[in-house]
Amino acid sequence: MSSAQEPLISASERVDAGGDHDEQQGDEAGRLESGKAIPAAPSWFIWLLTLSAGISGLLFGCVISSTLVSLGESLSNRPLNSLDKSLITASTSLFALLISPFSSVLADSLGRKRVILVADVLFVLGAGVQAACSTVWVMVVGRSIVGMAVGAASFVVPLYIAELAPAEHRGRLVTMNVIFITLGQVVAYIVGYGFGEYGHPETAWRWMVGLGGLPAVVQLFMMTVMPETPRWLVMVGRGLEARGVVEKVAGGNVAAREVDATVKSIEIEVREEQDARRLRRRRGESKAGWAEGFDELLNIRRNKRALAIACLLQGLQQLCGFNSLMYFSATIFEMLGFPIPTLTSLVVAVTNFAFTLVALLIIDRIGRRRILLWSIPWMVFGLLLAAFGFFLSGVTDSDAPGSPVVILISIMIYVAGYAIGLGNVPWMQSELFALNVRSLGSGIATATNWGANFVIGLTFLMLMDLLGPPLTFTLYALICIGGYVLIWRFYPETAGLSLEDAASLLEDDNWGVR
């Protein structure tokens, strides 16, 4: 049984669902070298699909970091305090947390594409509310609407891309979504700097948040002409449309017979899934209705393990403190005495973007597990160096020569390590789940990400006030060390494997770790 999230399965894992095995081996002989499949380059259509879906990543850009230092007394006719800033920042994460599990149900009932389109509408609405607001609480409402959009898009876009991506290129194509996110952060800081330096103080921040809806409008038009995923089309009985999508994604790289075999394998998998569910119901081992998916996710061994690993990675991605820097970097650099804090924050965003490009080039060659084990120690080093720099500077009376520069360099080291590994790998979460729980499991893992993001956004400034910057950054370093140990023990390598083979690793007593 092949995975339905691989419309283009590699030669070494292709299943001819009705053809002769010897004939299939003959067809594949020309594509094998030293026993391994020679991966064809992704077709232009799969790149176009990735571009159309990945535009939503631009919407995640940290406009709020530049906005927070530009608001002045524009909201509620008073300066913002730490609680105001925390609520404005954390409201997005809270509603992303609430919507992510719900969006996984919608993605199965309405389709992946429709959920992306709904998210675009919410992005535009939220941007408009923020641009027009005049009080803290209306700003929080606007940020909450954007949070709903982010929660849906952050879950469904990687799923949409993964269901269309060839196995040998899946890591690169999913990483493209992260590329758009980091590019959005760079653009947001440039826009924030431009408006902050040259815009009118009363209206500049309104343009910053209002323009955040522009990528959603572009994506809305592009996605209307993009197809649904073959797996979802087959699941709802639209096999002919699924075949057309597979042909377009293949781009002429496979024969018509192989396209038929791919669609047939998806149909077989969906049918086996339905038969297995009916059998569990007769035995009384599964509940009917919406609770059935949760029952399978939480009571089957490999599904429980997949959920544990996915939630570990998504939680660590936020609890390591990265988004505290992206949300509040301008505030931090303002505290350190940098003359143009937004422009200094741009250096951090460019570092994030540049090293995400590095990850794009190496993620499928080096592997998910290895890239995490190599990059997290650099994150720890950067955090501890930043803590030392804050200790020298005292933040409020920066009398240690060069200490702000030390902090900036240490943050760049930390961000580089994050961008290469932890910024990308958690979004490969669909590789871990069996087909029948993939959407639900990915949705819950994404909710874990936004739950941890909410905690970070709400507590960072409070921790800075309560513990001081040195201890706050040391705490994040300790969390990274704990995550490193758990990844080393429990996270198996999935690069290059079919989705089915990757999920089956978790049946092993050692969780597939070699």
Side-chain angles (χ1 to χ4, degrees):
M1 182 175 65
S2 68
S3 171
Q5 274 193 301
E6 292 171 70
L8 297 180
I9 42 185
S10 65
S12 61
E13 62 201 28
R14 188 177 292 118
V15 177
D16 188 345
D20 182 80
H21 179 68
D22 292 333
E23 183 183 6
Q24 179 184 353
Q25 285 183 322
D27 289 342
E28 292 174 355
R31 297 188 64 193
L32 296 178
E33 180 179 330
S34 303
K36 295 184 178 180
I38 303 174
S43 68
W44 68 267
F45 188 68
I46 189 66
W47 284 115
L48 180 60
L49 285 169
T50 304
L51 171 66
S52 302
I55 289 175
S56 61
L58 294 173
L59 303 166
F60 302 172
C62 284
V63 174
I64 197 60
S65 176
S66 303
T67 304
L68 289 177
V69 297
S70 304
L71 285 170
E73 298 183 6
S74 298
L75 298 181
S76 301
N77 297 316
R78 60 177 174 80
L80 299 182
N81 56 38
S82 293
L83 180 60
D84 293 332
K85 293 179 180 180
S86 296
L87 287 174
I88 290 171
T89 303
S91 57
T92 303
S93 304
L94 175 62
F95 277 82
L97 160 66
L98 296 176
I99 205 67
S100 292
F102 180 63
S103 66
S104 68
V105 178
L106 289 180
D108 276 340
S109 59
L110 300 179
R112 285 65 162 129
K113 173 182 170 179
R114 286 191 181 128
V115 173
I116 295 175
L117 295 176
V118 169
D120 287 331
V121 173
L122 290 173
F123 270 122
V124 174
L125 178 61
V129 171
Q130 290 178 86
C133 73
S134 58
T135 66
V136 170
W137 288 107
V138 177
M139 172 63 89
V140 169
V141 170
R143 295 290 297 169
S144 300
I145 295 172
V146 169
M148 290 189 286
V150 168
S154 62
F155 149 73
V156 77
V157 169
L159 180 63
Y160 180 83
I161 295 173
E163 287 191 339
L164 288 157
E168 61 269 21
H169 302 298
R170 191 169 55 239
R172 276 201 297 160
L173 293 173
V174 174
T175 300
M176 279 298 299
N177 185 54
V178 185
I179 291 286
F180 278 106
I181 294 174
T182 57
L183 178 60
Q185 291 165 350
V186 172
V187 172
Y189 280 121
I190 294 173
V191 171
Y193 168 72
F195 279 115
E197 291 297 311
Y198 305 107
H200 192 282
E202 296 293 326
T203 58
W205 66 269
R206 297 185 187 276
W207 283 100
M208 291 184 206
V209 295
L211 288 174
L214 183 59
V217 175
V218 175
Q219 185 179 56
L220 193 62
F221 282 103
M222 291 186 69
M223 283 300 297
T224 53
V225 296
M226 291 295 109
E228 257 297 349
T229 66
R231 191 268 177 182
W232 188 82
L233 291 172
V234 170
M235 188 170 64
V236 297
R238 293 156 62 179
L240 285 178
E241 289 183 51
R243 189 187 190 284
V245 175
V246 173
E247 286 180 330
K248 287 184 178 180
V249 171
N253 291 329
V254 297
R257 173 181 166 280
E258 294 172 334
V259 172
D260 290 335
T262 300
V263 176
K264 186 68 174 177
S265 68
I266 299 173
E267 293 172 341
I268 291 172
E269 188 162 18
V270 171
R271 187 164 58 248
E272 288 180 350
E273 197 177 290
Q274 294 169 343
D275 291 343
R277 282 188 170 182
R278 282 194 291 267
L279 180 60
R280 284 192 296 270
R281 288 174 189 170
R282 285 198 297 267
R283 292 176 177 174
E285 297 173 356
S286 179
K287 302 173 184 177
W290 64 269
E292 186 169 26
F294 285 96
D295 188 63
E296 293 175 350
L297 184 63
L298 299 177
N299 292 321
I300 296 176
R301 180 182 184 182
R302 75 175 187 178
N303 294 343
K304 287 190 294 185
R305 290 180 169 184
L307 184 63
I309 294 172
C311 289
L312 163 67
L313 295 178
Q314 291 285 16
L316 182 61
Q317 187 187 72
Q318 297 301 324
L319 294 177
C320 70
F322 174 78
N323 270 332
S324 63
L325 295 178
M326 301 311 294
Y327 291 149
F328 301 112
S329 57
T331 302
I332 293 171
F333 293 132
E334 188 177 46
M335 292 165 56
L336 289 170
F338 284 95
I340 309 178
T342 301
L343 193 59
T344 309
S345 298
L346 178 61
V347 176
V348 178
V350 170
T351 301
N352 188 26
F353 176 66
F355 281 88
T356 304
L357 289 175
V358 174
L360 177 71
L361 299 175
I362 65 176
I363 188 73
D364 282 321
R365 287 186 289 172
I366 292 181
R368 287 62 154 147
R369 171 183 166 87
R370 187 180 301 172
I371 207 170
L372 285 176
L373 295 179
W374 285 0
S375 61
I376 291 178
W378 286 102
M379 293 173 60
V380 174
F381 173 72
L383 286 167
L384 293 178
L385 184 61
F388 180 68
F390 276 115
F391 175 76
L392 290 179
S393 70
V395 181
T396 54
D397 53 339
S398 184
D399 51 13
S403 56
V405 176
V406 171
I407 293 171
L408 175 59
I409 293 173
S410 65
I411 289 175
M412 291 174 65
I413 293 171
Y414 163 75
V415 169
Y418 174 91
I420 288 177
L422 204 53
N424 296 282
V425 174
W427 298 112
M428 315 292 171
Q429 59 194 9
S430 61
E431 297 178 329
L432 298 167
F433 292 101
L435 178 61
N436 57 330
V437 294
R438 188 165 293 140
S439 179
L440 181 61
S442 297
I444 293 175
T446 302
T448 302
N449 181 294
W450 289 110
N453 191 310
F454 172 72
V455 171
I456 289 295
L458 190 62
T459 61
F460 175 70
L461 292 180
M462 298 178 185
L463 286 174
M464 292 279 280
D465 291 339
L466 182 64
L467 300 179
L471 286 180
T472 299
F473 279 74
T474 301
L475 175 63
Y476 292 148
L478 292 174
I479 292 173
C480 288
I481 292 171
Y484 181 93
V485 173
L486 292 173
I487 289 168
W488 177 81
R489 174 61 185 86
F490 295 113
Y491 182 44
E493 183 55 70
T494 59
L497 297 176
S498 69
L499 292 173
E500 180 179 293
D501 289 342
S504 66
L505 285 174
L506 298 177
E507 295 284 7
D508 190 287
D509 289 339
N510 291 323
W511 294 53
V513 175
R514 301 288 181 258

